[in-house]
């Protein structure tokens, strides 16, 4: 199980936490898992994670990180394996037995987007999906995880971070409206407060909270 919405969490089948030797190895797993829809050239990965190293040193670092990664997640014993590795490319295996929070997050919001409703914030079918999605959002994408020597990785992470942050806020906004409309003021208040934890200056969340307080007689 891989969690990247919030601090990076990697849990093995026996419940133990995976142990990695370096941040580059953690970054390699996060990148491969999130970008699992396609294979990645080895030279692209070395440029992403070791941009300032000479080519041969960067290739060696990738081989070592890959070895540690396979050991840490139990890849040699997995059937099918978690990683598809060739001489030139590496890809996270979507057919392997894994769970990734952003994949579930995306699937839930995609189901809402594909549902034929008039408005998402009043749809009884989509409300449980939105709730599941925001429950997955423990915090910002790869929260407090940085590779100070890789601007390329940081740019990738920042782009992803902003996108997931925006989508989580929008889901919480719709949920707060839904719960308010259906008289569940406690749930509406929690959704508004969660938005303010993520973005203290979010005006619509302040308005939602003020409406809930008024409806509660506060």
């Amino acid at each position: 199980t891989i969690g990247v919405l919030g601090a990076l969490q990697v849990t093995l089948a026996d419940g133990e936490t995976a142990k990695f030797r370096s941040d580059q190895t953690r970054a390699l797993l996060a990148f491969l898992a999130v970008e699992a829809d396609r294979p990645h050239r080895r030279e692209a990965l070395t440029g992403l994670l070791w941009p300032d190293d000479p080519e041969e040193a960067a290739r060696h670092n990738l081989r070592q990180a890959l070895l540690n990664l396979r050991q840490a997640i139990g890849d040699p014993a997995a059937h099918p394996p978690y990683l598809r590795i060739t001489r030139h490319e590496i890809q996270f295996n979507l057919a392997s037995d894994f769970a990734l929070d952003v994949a579930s997050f995306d699937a839930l919001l995609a189901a809402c987007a594909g549902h034929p409703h008039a408005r998402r914030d009043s749809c009884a079918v989509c409300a449980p999906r939105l709730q599941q999605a925001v429950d997955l959002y423990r915090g910002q994408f790869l929260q407090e995880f940085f590779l100070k020597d890789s601007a390329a990785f940081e740019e990738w992470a920042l782009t992803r971070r902003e996108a997931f942050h925006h989508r989580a806020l929008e889901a919480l906004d719709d949920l707060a409206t839904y719960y308010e409309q259906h008289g569940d003021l406690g749930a509406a208040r929690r959704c508004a407060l969660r938005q303010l934890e993520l973005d203290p200056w979010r005006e619509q969340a302040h308005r939602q909270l003020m409406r809930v307080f008024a409806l509660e007689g506060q």
Side-chain angles (χ1 to χ4, degrees):
T1 300
I2 305 170
V4 292
L5 293 175
L8 178 64
Q9 295 180 348
V10 184
T11 307
L12 306 177
D14 61 4
E16 293 294 316
T17 299
K19 296 178 175 60
F20 304 99
R21 293 179 183 172
S22 69
D23 282 342
Q24 280 81 1
T25 304
R26 295 180 181 87
L28 177 62
L29 174 60
F31 182 81
L32 291 174
V34 173
E35 304 291 345
D37 60 331
R38 65 191 189 281
H40 301 276
R41 300 282 297 182
R42 285 176 179 256
E43 55 266 31
L45 294 172
T46 57
L48 180 72
L49 301 175
W50 297 276
D52 298 328
D53 288 5
E55 181 179 351
E56 188 56 39
R59 286 179 174 274
H60 172 76
N61 290 336
L62 176 60
R63 288 193 296 268
Q64 292 300 114
L66 191 57
L67 176 62
N68 174 232
L69 174 56
R70 296 192 68 221
Q71 292 172 340
I73 64 176
D75 188 50
H79 300 284
Y82 297 117
L83 300 173
R84 301 174 62 186
I85 303 169
T86 70
R87 183 177 178 182
H88 300 291
E89 295 179 329
I90 305 170
Q91 182 178 13
F92 197 92
N93 187 4
L94 289 172
S96 62
D97 185 13
F98 79 104
L100 174 67
D101 57 358
V102 294
S104 300
F105 182 87
D106 283 340
L108 288 163
L109 295 186
C112 292
H115 184 249
H117 50 237
R119 291 176 57 92
R120 194 174 76 164
D121 62 7
S122 60
C123 179
V125 174
C126 290
R129 295 170 178 162
L130 293 174
Q131 187 63 62
Q132 291 178 60
V134 300
D135 287 345
L136 288 169
Y137 194 79
R138 295 177 292 113
Q140 291 194 346
F141 179 75
L142 293 180
Q143 188 166 305
E144 298 183 0
F145 182 86
F146 303 98
L147 282 185
K148 63 180 181 178
D149 296 325
S150 177
F153 180 85
E154 286 304 310
E155 182 178 352
W156 170 78
L158 178 61
T159 300
R160 285 287 187 167
R161 189 171 294 134
E162 290 176 344
F164 287 124
H165 184 73
H166 174 75
R167 297 173 71 194
L169 285 172
E170 290 298 308
L172 284 163
D173 187 16
D174 285 347
L175 271 178
T177 299
Y178 176 85
Y179 287 133
E180 181 185 336
Q181 291 173 348
H182 287 77
D184 192 342
L185 300 182
R189 182 174 63 254
R190 288 192 295 273
C191 289
L193 287 170
R194 179 59 175 148
Q195 290 176 72
L196 295 175
E197 288 177 7
L198 299 173
D199 182 359
W201 305 107
R202 186 172 173 83
E203 292 186 11
Q204 56 264 52
H206 282 287
R207 290 196 294 270
Q208 288 171 337
L209 193 58
M210 291 165 69
R211 284 198 305 272
V212 169
F213 282 152
L215 290 169
E216 290 177 329
Q218 298 191 50

